[in-house]
Each structure stands twice: as structure tokens, then as C-alpha cells.
Amino acid sequence: MAEFAFHTLMIQGTTSDAGKSTLAAALCRLLKKDGIAVAPFKPQNMALNSAVTADGGEIGRAQALQAQAAGIAPHTDMNPVLLKPSSDTGAQVIVHGKVRADMNARDYHRYKTEAMQAVLASYQRLRSQYACVVVEGAGSPAEINLRARDIANMGFAEAVDCPVIIVADIDRGGVFAHLTGTLDCLSQSERDRVVGFVINRFRGDISLLQPGLDWLEERTGKPVLAVLPYLHGLHLDAEDAVAATQDVKGDFRVVVPVFPRISNHTDFDALRAHPGVDLRFVGPGQPVPPADLIILPGSKNTRGDLDWLRQHGWDSAIARHLRYGGKLIGICGGFQMLGEAVDDPHGVEGRPGSSAGLGLLAMRTELTREKRLLQVSGHGNFSAERPVVRGYEIHMGVSSGAALDRPAFVIEGRGEGAQSADGQILGSYLHGMFDTPQACGALLAWAGLQGGATVDLDALREASLERLAEATRPLYAALQGLSTRFTQAGRK
């Protein structure tokens, strides 16, 4: 069986979105192809895109993708601490897949010492099961204000004594300043464990970059392990941020409001890839364009995002959309907004209280302290085709009312969600409802797109992982050739 130079390798970045998540996924896939048992790991993740694991917990969506790249089922040990922001200063803290508490930034900073114990316990369990663990850092190790009690970057690397590679995004500009500046912000022991750099998303003539690479290596004494190309058209789950660019393709327009606390916008990946769909994410200050279908996405703060919806005129736009025969879908928090009221008596998502819903479905929702986490499958009840559907539920609320007597889906024998009597509105707690080709095609047909192509999102994701892995082979080869104190201590 092949061996890898490191039993643990950590990928850190000069900034958020430098390519840490995709690089970790690529290395997991390459190790799998070499027959090496590998697991992904992210000590601490702050993201509103999450996934439900086989052991009934919640982790960052990126770690679920990396697990797929590694050919294993996602597990809560792969992301032991997940932070889901509910405001600019507070977040829900999830430890080993379960909600631990809601904390403000200062309280969480104090809690990190305890969180580190959970992180190390998960890491040791993975180390005992896999020949290699590929670790993804968070943000940047150069964030000086967060260095004390750090569990996400160098604090973790120092605790387990693992090597680090630092990746920077050249497409943003300033790549040499990013790399040298990051290195200068580290302590000597932290700099010593950096085994090299990766320059990501390069496009152009590599010969023009070479003088800069030579200067960087001479100045830092660290090798540039690889310059990786800018890859267009990858279909991979985003860790958190909504894509800034929008690829307009088909004539059937789907519009999604970008709530301040939008969650699991990966629900729309299949629509983004569909050749017949023009998917538009609409943010604050942008006019609501005409649409065939409006989808209200998930939310980490349903009442707050419902207020935002009204402040930006979406309630009036939705009413006008429905008057002219348009279709409307609400997913999870967006589903709750469709009802008559959202009650939060325990202050689960903020101050206790109640907010009027959009009043489009005869139901109301009470937010509860207990979170429902479940992988599910079933079929659509909105179509005579009864399409197969698979997905997951992540929500802290229970809905009740007459609207639920007309369920949108049947999930494992129970009715789920709701649909209006006039057939214009559909709501559900089911994340991933568009992910299977049958369900995606049937939902779009329900919304008015006839004779459209179907999209196999899982096949697109697999093809993207393979393409990403092949582009990352130069880095993989460079890592195999490294000889440092880590390779001597780290071979399994």
C-alpha cells in the first residue's frame, strides 16, 4: 500500500476563501485514490452551511464534502466545534454535533479552553482510525487578536505538532504580501512548522510569475510547493459565502433573497447548475426582479430575517408575484415565514417574543430549544409523479396548523411540509429537496418549467472532485518529496 509523507497535515490560509476547503478536499481524494485511509478535520468552523452526519450530529458543509472526497461517511469528529452566527456578536455553539449554548464573542473566547479538549478528543479518535488526517484551518493564523486560546489554526498545530502549508489566492492580488505578512505575524516555532506555500487560482503565463516565486523562496526560506490553476465551473458545496458572481443561463428565472443570516444556500446548487434556470440571489438594496419562482431560503434567525424581508419590500413583492400567478417555495426558516406567526418564547434566536408571518399558509411556528437533526428520504406529494427525494432536516421549531393537512412531501410515512390549496405555494423543512434529479425536475415542473433537463448534482460534484484532484497533483507530488522532521516522526 502507498504511504503519505505525513500522518497529519494542516492547511492554513492567508485569508478566508483562499482555497483551504477545496485544497483539503483535493488531497483527501488523491489519498483515497492511492489507497490511503484518510479523514478530513476542521477543529473550529464558523459557517451557516451545515450538514447532518450519519451519527445524528451537525458539522460544516465543507467537511461533509471532504468526507465524500475521502470516500467515507461524514462524522461529527470531523468538525468538533461549529459556530453558527445568529447576530454580528453572537453564535450558536455546536460541540460534537450538538448544540452546547448560545454565546457572545467574549463568552466564547473564554470557552475556547474547554472547546480545545473537545477538538483534541475528536482528533485523537480520527488518528486512531485513519492513516492520514487532512486538517483545514479557519480564516488566517495572522489574526493577532484571536491568537490567545486559538484552537483553529496554529494553536491546534502546536498542540498536536503537525506541519502546516499556507495557501494564498493570487486572483485577489497582493499574494506575496499576504504570504510574507502572514509568516511575519507568526512566532518562531509556528514559522518552523510551515513546510511551504501554495499559490492558488493562478491564470496566465507562469514564466511571468517565476521571478516572484524565486524572491519569495529566498526571502522566507520556504518552498513554493505548487502554483495551482484557476478552475472554472466547479460544482462543489460552498463553505459559507454566497457566490458573488451569477451565471445566467436559462430563461426560467428563480429569485432568492439573501437574508443577513441565510443558511444552507447549498440547497440551490442544483438550480445553479441547471441549464434551463436563471438563478438570481438578491441582496439588500437590490430591486426584486420579475421571477417565475421565488424561494425563501433557510435562516439562522427567522424573526430577524423576517423583519429584514419586510424592511426591503419583499412582502409586497411576493404578494405581487403571487397575484400574477408566480410560484413560491419556503425552505426551513423560509417555510416558517410563510405562516401566520413565528413564536420564540424561550429566546432561542434572540429576544423572546412573537413576529407576524407573511400569512400565506394557515400555520404558526414555535421555536424550541431542541434541534431536529435527521437525514431523510421519501417522495413528493405535490406531483402525481411522486418523485423520490432525499435530504436532511436542521431546525429548532415546530409548526402546526391546518396547512399541514396538505403536505408537500411524504417522508418515511409521515406528511411533511405544506402546500396551498391553489397550488401556488409550497413549504418544507427539507433541505436538499432539489438534489435528486427526479425531485428537481418535478419541482421545476410544478413551478412552470416544462420539458427541462434534469441535473444530477451528485454526479457533478464527483466530476468536480476528480477534476480538482488532478489539478492538485503537483502539490501532492511535492508533499511526497518533502523530507523534514515531520516526515521522520510522522510516517505511519
Side-chain angles (χ1 to χ4, degrees):
M1 180 181 291
E3 283 190 323
F4 189 52
F6 309 103
H7 67 64
T8 302
L9 177 67
M10 189 169 195
I11 303 165
Q12 298 182 13
T14 57
T15 62
S16 294
D17 199 33
K20 298 183 295 290
S21 296
T22 52
L23 200 54
L27 290 176
C28 283
R29 176 52 58 95
L30 288 167
L31 286 160
K32 172 184 179 291
K33 290 164 79 75
D34 262 3
I36 298 171
V38 58
F41 184 68
K42 184 158 185 170
Q44 173 192 288
N45 197 349
M46 179 177 283
L48 287 174
N49 281 343
S50 58
V52 177
T53 62
D55 58 326
E58 186 177 6
I59 64 173
R61 192 80 186 170
Q63 281 62 66
L65 174 70
Q66 291 158 4
Q68 179 177 341
I72 56 178
H75 190 279
T76 51
D77 278 338
M78 296 171 186
N79 178 205
V81 178
L82 174 63
L83 307 177
K84 301 188 77 172
S86 53
S87 70
D88 289 342
T89 58
Q92 184 180 79
V93 180
I94 296 166
V95 179
H96 290 151
K98 302 298 182 184
V99 176
R100 179 63 58 91
D102 287 280
M103 298 184 191
N104 60 37
R106 190 172 297 277
D107 288 341
Y108 178 69
H109 188 65
R110 287 193 290 265
Y111 177 74
K112 281 183 182 179
T113 302
E114 184 177 342
M116 178 61 110
Q117 301 310 307
V119 165
L120 294 176
S122 286
Y123 168 73
Q124 292 299 337
R125 283 193 288 267
L126 292 178
R127 275 288 296 119
S128 69
Q129 298 173 64
Y130 296 93
C132 181
V133 178
V134 177
V135 186
E136 179 191 341
S140 164
E143 293 163 347
I144 303 301
N145 57 309
L146 300 177
R147 296 289 297 280
R149 302 189 183 96
D150 172 51
I151 67 174
N153 290 299
M154 284 298 179
F156 172 81
E158 294 269 75
V160 304
D161 190 26
C162 73
V164 172
I165 59 176
I166 297 180
V167 58
D169 178 5
I170 195 171
D171 197 56
R172 294 183 173 196
V175 69
F176 300 111
H178 284 177
L179 288 167
T180 56
T182 297
L183 208 62
D184 285 348
C185 290
L186 304 180
S187 69
Q188 187 59 54
S189 65
E190 292 167 346
R191 285 196 292 271
D192 289 345
R193 69 180 55 258
V194 175
V195 296
F197 303 127
V198 176
I199 293 179
N200 194 28
R201 299 190 182 115
F202 176 76
R203 40 188 167 185
D205 185 343
I206 191 72
S207 67
L208 297 177
L209 184 63
Q210 193 60 51
L213 303 181
D214 295 340
W215 175 89
L216 181 64
E217 292 186 340
E218 182 178 357
R219 186 185 190 282
T220 64
K222 307 288 185 184
V224 176
L225 299 171
V227 176
L228 301 179
Y230 195 113
L231 298 178
H232 296 274
L234 291 177
H235 295 282
L236 298 172
D237 307 57
E239 182 170 52
D240 196 40
V242 177
T245 58
Q246 307 201 36
D247 184 15
V248 178
K249 297 187 294 294
D251 296 325
F252 189 83
R253 181 172 293 173
V254 179
V255 169
V256 179
V258 181
F259 301 147
R261 300 299 164 195
I262 185 173
S263 66
N264 290 72
H265 62 76
T266 48
D267 284 338
F268 310 111
D269 284 355
L271 301 182
R272 187 184 289 113
H274 197 291
V277 171
D278 169 12
L279 179 68
R280 302 284 183 96
F281 288 104
V282 180
Q286 296 178 311
V288 182
D292 298 290
L293 170 64
I294 292 176
I295 306 180
L296 302 185
S299 167
K300 185 61 192 70
N301 191 327
T302 303
R303 292 174 62 212
D305 284 346
L306 186 53
D307 288 343
W308 179 92
L309 206 70
R310 289 194 168 99
Q311 290 166 10
H312 289 82
W314 277 90
D315 52 344
S316 300
I318 289 170
R320 184 170 60 251
H321 171 77
L322 292 171
R323 277 200 309 273
Y324 286 96
K327 296 296 183 77
L328 175 66
I329 293 176
I331 301 175
C332 200
F335 173 40
Q336 295 172 343
M337 294 178 190
L338 298 178
E340 294 162 346
V342 179
D343 304 317
D344 189 1
H346 310 293
V348 171
E349 292 185 345
R351 290 184 178 179
S354 183
S355 297
L358 296 175
L360 300 173
L361 291 175
M363 67 174 206
R364 67 186 301 140
T365 298
E366 180 176 322
L367 301 182
T368 57
R369 291 191 178 100
E370 183 177 353
K371 180 178 284 194
R372 182 176 173 86
L373 296 164
L374 201 63
Q375 293 182 356
V376 297
S377 61
H379 63 264
N381 198 47
F382 57 88
S383 165
E385 298 175 4
R386 295 169 65 85
V388 172
V389 65
R390 290 187 300 274
Y392 56 99
E393 294 184 38
I394 302 178
H395 58 93
M396 301 181 78
V398 176
S399 299
S400 60
L404 304 182
D405 294 337
R406 189 188 294 269
F409 298 93
V410 176
I411 301 297
E412 294 165 5
R414 62 177 173 85
E416 198 285 322
Q419 48 185 322
S420 61
D422 62 8
Q424 279 189 270
I425 303 170
L426 185 152
S428 172
Y429 280 112
L430 183 63
H431 290 288
M433 64 171 64
F434 294 101
D435 287 1
T436 62
Q438 304 97 315
C440 183
L443 283 163
L444 288 173
W446 169 86
L449 177 61
Q450 301 299 325
T454 59
V455 171
D456 188 334
L457 187 60
D458 195 56
L460 288 174
R461 190 182 290 119
E462 274 296 312
S464 293
L465 285 170
E466 286 293 315
R467 183 175 161 218
L468 179 65
E470 288 307 308
T472 310
R473 277 202 178 276
L475 172 61
Y476 188 64
L479 289 169
Q480 289 286 49
L482 279 180
S483 176
T484 70
R485 67 186 180 92
F486 296 106
T487 61
Q488 300 306 313
R491 281 193 181 275
K492 188 168 178 67

